[in-house]
Amino acid sequence: MKNPNLFGYKSITDISEELYNKYKDEKVVGYYRGNTPELIVRDPELVKRILNVDFAYFYMRGLTRNDALEPLLLSLFHVEGDRWKLLRQRLTSAFTTHKLKGMFPLVVQCAGKL
């Protein structure tokens, strides 16, 4: 079977997981979803670089949603394109090392209560 997702035999998540596990020695795995090329990044250093330095080039992630029907999904985890870039730029300053260290005691206290 060439494309198990074409007729819904496998989800995109299952296909991605299989490719991730199949190519254990590769840093990056590329494949086509339909006619769209996609990457699965396996190397933690590459992931860190993409998320910290090169995020401006990796903002189209294929997570299309209808904003009018699903307004609660307008978060950093679900939006893409220019809206994602804008949210990412705004939130970056909120998660500096200094601010995260300052929040650590609060996290420990909340975890203790949990």
Side-chain angles (χ1 to χ4, degrees):
M1 179 181 319
K2 284 278 189 200
N3 188 347
N5 182 256
L6 184 62
F7 296 109
Y9 294 121
K10 287 188 179 180
S11 71
I12 294 297
T13 306
D14 290 338
I15 293 169
S16 298
E17 183 180 7
E18 286 177 10
L19 289 170
Y20 183 89
N21 292 328
K22 183 176 181 181
Y23 298 101
K24 293 186 183 298
D25 297 329
E26 303 296 329
K27 291 184 176 188
V28 178
V29 178
Y31 71 102
Y32 280 90
R33 181 167 38 152
N35 60 355
T36 305
E38 298 205 359
L39 288 176
I40 299 172
V41 182
R42 294 184 42 87
D43 181 46
E45 290 302 317
L46 283 175
V47 171
K48 183 178 178 180
R49 181 178 172 96
I50 288 169
L51 293 176
N52 291 324
V53 179
D54 297 328
F55 75 89
Y57 304 107
F58 291 92
Y59 60 91
M60 294 301 288
R61 298 169 300 156
L63 302 173
T64 56
R65 299 278 195 306
N66 185 337
D67 299 347
L69 295 176
E70 302 175 286
L72 294 177
L73 295 179
L74 292 176
S75 69
L76 184 64
F77 299 109
H78 294 100
V79 297
E80 66 175 11
D82 291 334
R83 184 176 281 166
W84 181 84
K85 284 175 66 175
L86 182 63
L87 278 173
R88 173 67 163 77
Q89 289 170 349
R90 287 181 180 170
L91 288 173
T92 297
S93 62
F95 293 98
T96 63
T97 304
H98 178 71
K99 289 180 181 175
L100 289 174
K101 284 182 180 179
M103 287 191 301
F104 186 73
L106 179 62
V107 171
V108 169
Q109 180 184 1
C110 291
K113 288 180 182 179
L114 181 64

